[in-house]
Amino acid sequence: MNKNPRGLRNNNPLNIEKGNNWQGERACQTDRRFEEFISLEYGLRAGFIIIRNYLKQRPPLDTVRKIITRWAPPSENDTAHYIQVVCNRGYLEPDAKLRFSDKQKICRLIWAMCYVECGQEVSFGRVENAYALACRS
């Protein structure tokens, strides 16, 4: 049996719930709740696209605090702790404005969110590869 966290088994380290038709989805989906992707990069790409959409909406969700509060709402999560861990691991400020074009900050955000979601680090290089995929979309 694969002992990796569910998010890593699904190549979905951000635990994105089903609901969209994503590029790179596995043809056979066995998880009832969460998306499954053919590679980690495609799962990360989906996360980048969701974050990019958050940044574009009006009013924008353009800080770590706003993004995480939407991603992991207090009704279901310890959102304050999630924000603290993401900021500490990603060297980010909770209320600083984020831009999708700031590759390093956005990649650190996603990288740190993966740690909170799965309890394990993912390769930062793979996060950067997924950012490049998202930028082509």
Side-chain angles (χ1 to χ4, degrees), residues 75-92:
S75 60
E76 301 172 13
N77 301 276
D78 184 349
T79 305
H81 182 256
Y82 196 133
I83 292 164
Q84 179 184 26
V85 172
V86 166
C87 288
N88 288 345
R89 292 188 73 80
Y91 303 101
L92 299 164

Side-chain angles (χ1 to χ4, degrees), residues 7-8 11-13 38-45 122-123 126 130:
L8 295 180
N11 287 319
N12 180 2
I38 60 173
S39 73
L40 191 67
E41 285 79 7
Y42 277 105
L44 291 165
R45 174 192 170 274
V122 297
S123 159
R126 294 185 82 178

Side-chain angles (χ1 to χ4, degrees), residues 49-63 66-67 69-71 97-98 100:
I49 290 170
I50 292 168
I51 299 299
R52 184 172 64 198
N53 290 339
Y54 286 0
L55 294 167
K56 287 181 183 178
Q57 73 182 44
R58 295 288 171 239
L61 301 179
D62 58 359
T63 68
K66 290 176 185 176
I67 289 167
T69 300
R70 170 75 183 274
W71 194 275
K97 299 287 186 206
L98 297 170
F100 194 78

Side-chain angles (χ1 to χ4, degrees), residues 3-9 12-15 40 71 81-82 85-86 89 110-123:
K3 299 214 184 234
N4 278 329
R6 184 181 195 178
L8 295 180
R9 289 192 310 268
N12 180 2
L14 293 164
N15 290 318
L40 191 67
W71 194 275
H81 182 256
Y82 196 133
V85 172
V86 166
R89 292 188 73 80
I110 293 285
W111 177 80
M113 287 174 66
C114 290
Y115 178 81
V116 174
E117 292 286 339
C118 291
Q120 293 181 16
E121 285 187 5
V122 297
S123 159

Side-chain angles (χ1 to χ4, degrees), residues 94-135:
D95 298 307
K97 299 287 186 206
L98 297 170
R99 294 184 334 263
F100 194 78
S101 61
D102 189 337
K103 176 184 173 183
Q104 282 305 307
K105 283 185 182 175
I106 292 297
C107 285
R108 290 195 320 259
L109 170 69
I110 293 285
W111 177 80
M113 287 174 66
C114 290
Y115 178 81
V116 174
E117 292 286 339
C118 291
Q120 293 181 16
E121 285 187 5
V122 297
S123 159
F124 196 78
R126 294 185 82 178
V127 172
E128 290 178 314
N129 291 343
Y131 176 83
L133 281 174
C135 287

